[in-house]
Amino acid sequence: MTGSLDLAVIGTGPIGILSATLAASAGHRVGVWSPRTPVEGRRLTLRCSGKLESSVEVENISGPESLAEWSHILVALPATAYADVLGMATPFLHGKQTVIFSGALSLVQFWFRDSVDWKGSAPDLVAWGTTLGTANRVAPLHARIATVRPRLGVSALPSARLEALTGRCAALFGDRFEAAPAHLATLLANINPIAHAGQVIPNLTRIENGEPWRLFANFSRAGARIAEAIDAERLEIGRRFGIPLRSLADHYRLSYAVEGRDLAALAQAIEAAGLGAPGPESTSHRYIEEDVPYGLVVLQQIGVRVGAATPNLDMAIALLSCGLDKPYARMNPILAGLRLETETAESLAHRFA
């Protein structure tokens, strides 16, 4: 597809800023809606530094009612905000639009399709296996970009529109998208919850005490072993569905363009290259509040359905639930709506093909 498109980005966190900047830099009309911390002005200047040095001007979408006029909607939100923010947006969305979930967690596209009483046809729904890159906030509307990913997997509802919608993503954000073999493939491709478990668990005291620390510099051999053990279980779940997946180490090699013999060495190479980020300084950080219930717990539940042993996933969820005194296994309303407990391996593969 050629020519200028329009894109509304929901969320002005680092990934929302990166996504809006890439689309605006490609010549598309872009607006952003900041649902939790509204910003003033008809137009906003977004700034990216680091791996992407750019400053763009975009429209400020003042409220959800204005989303109706945009053809493409990108949801760049933490999963913890899905229910509340999408609840505000859905009355104004319609069947002539495409809604893209950036780094979709918990098979949110199915929950979104089935939980809304669409007055007519639902929008086309696109799910990415991960976000366009990695970034952290420098200041409001300013993100430091560590990576812009060269390849992302895409799935779509309806599945018959996958090729066209993959092309639409490429038109908006560049030639970096590949059609995934199944919706489960985009879910299983998301390595962030696994990496963050290996980074968070050995550093829980630092996080709880609010200490400054470096994420990859402190992703030591112990944390890397935890992540590698959980990742092996993710890869086994993929094999049971016949879905080929990249390992966490290969994701790092591809995303950060670094080399290392194992995950611990890769983490140190990322830090040495200046691509690292600060670690969380609060237990309410998305690496915990999002990635445990919306990432690890979902992966564990799918593992149970397919008969894969998940002792290390079980351990990570139990340790974080115990240490932080939170019932993470029960904190994901999307998972409750999907009712995975009624599925078999065969019905899962069919339902999320």
Side-chain angles (χ1 to χ4, degrees):
M1 172 173 290
T2 59
S4 177
L5 302 173
D6 64 82
L7 173 74
V9 177
I10 302 178
T12 53
I15 298 304
I17 292 170
L18 169 61
S19 304
T21 298
L22 286 175
S25 298
H28 303 297
R29 177 194 173 209
V30 177
V32 297
W33 175 40
S34 181
R36 293 190 163 178
T37 53
V39 288
E40 297 183 356
R42 294 183 60 187
R43 299 191 68 80
L44 304 173
T45 299
L46 307 182
R47 183 183 170 199
C48 291
S49 55
K51 277 294 184 179
L52 177 65
E53 293 282 348
S54 182
S55 180
V56 298
E57 196 173 85
V58 300
E59 298 178 35
N60 183 11
I61 300 172
S62 58
E65 64 281 352
S66 298
L67 294 173
E69 67 184 67
W70 297 81
S71 298
H72 304 85
I73 314 290
L74 177 74
V75 180
L77 296 169
T80 51
Y82 281 164
D84 289 344
V85 176
L86 292 176
M88 290 188 279
T90 48
F92 308 102
L93 303 182
H94 51 80
K96 294 183 180 180
Q97 295 174 308
T98 297
V99 176
I100 303 168
F101 290 95
S102 170
L105 287 164
S106 299
L107 293 163
V108 63
Q109 66 273 36
F110 286 87
W111 170 83
F112 189 60
R113 181 195 65 184
D114 298 338
S115 66
V116 176
D117 181 15
W118 298 104
K119 307 299 184 183
S121 59
D124 288 336
L125 303 177
V126 175
W128 293 346
T130 187
T131 56
L132 284 170
T134 58
N136 61 281
R137 190 188 302 274
V138 177
L141 306 183
H142 178 190
R144 178 184 175 274
I145 311 302
T147 65
V148 181
R149 290 191 168 99
R151 304 305 296 167
L152 285 83
V154 176
S155 62
L157 288 173
S159 298
R161 297 268 296 144
L162 177 58
E163 183 177 352
L165 292 171
T166 302
R168 191 75 57 85
C169 291
L172 283 164
F173 302 104
D175 183 15
R176 64 185 78 248
F177 300 92
E178 54 193 15
H183 291 282
L184 280 171
T186 51
L187 174 82
L188 295 172
N190 193 331
I191 50 80
N192 288 340
I194 293 164
H196 296 157
Q199 292 158 340
V200 161
I201 290 172
N203 291 288
L204 263 182
T205 301
R206 286 190 173 105
I207 298 169
E208 193 171 35
N209 289 337
E211 297 175 15
W213 63 287
R214 298 294 297 172
L215 189 68
F216 285 101
N218 291 281
F219 196 9
S220 63
R221 196 160 302 282
R225 288 193 191 103
I226 292 171
E228 286 169 335
I230 300 172
D231 196 45
E233 295 171 1
R234 177 185 68 95
L235 295 173
E236 175 59 25
I237 293 169
R239 279 191 287 271
R240 302 246 174 159
F241 284 109
I243 296 173
L245 299 167
R246 294 188 187 96
S247 69
L248 173 55
D250 283 343
H251 268 280
Y252 278 178
R253 292 184 180 99
L254 180 64
S255 295
Y256 292 92
V258 295
E259 290 298 329
R261 66 185 180 280
D262 57 20
L263 193 58
L266 287 165
Q268 299 312 305
I270 291 167
E271 183 68 20
L275 302 176
E281 296 178 20
S282 166
T283 57
S284 63
H285 196 276
R286 66 181 178 84
Y287 286 7
I288 301 171
E289 295 294 279
E290 176 181 42
D291 284 333
V292 182
Y294 292 87
L296 298 182
V297 171
V298 178
L299 187 59
Q300 177 200 49
Q301 289 300 305
I302 291 174
V304 169
R305 303 277 78 77
V306 78
T310 58
N312 296 293
L313 264 169
D314 300 346
M315 170 275 301
I317 296 165
L319 277 176
L320 290 164
S321 298
C322 176
L324 299 176
D325 194 24
K326 290 195 174 181
Y328 288 117
R330 302 194 302 274
M331 290 175 61
N332 180 348
I334 294 173
L335 181 58
L338 289 172
R339 298 183 61 81
L340 295 183
E341 68 276 7
T342 66
E343 302 283 353
T344 65
E346 293 75 17
S347 66
L348 267 180
H350 177 74
R351 180 179 173 190
F352 301 122

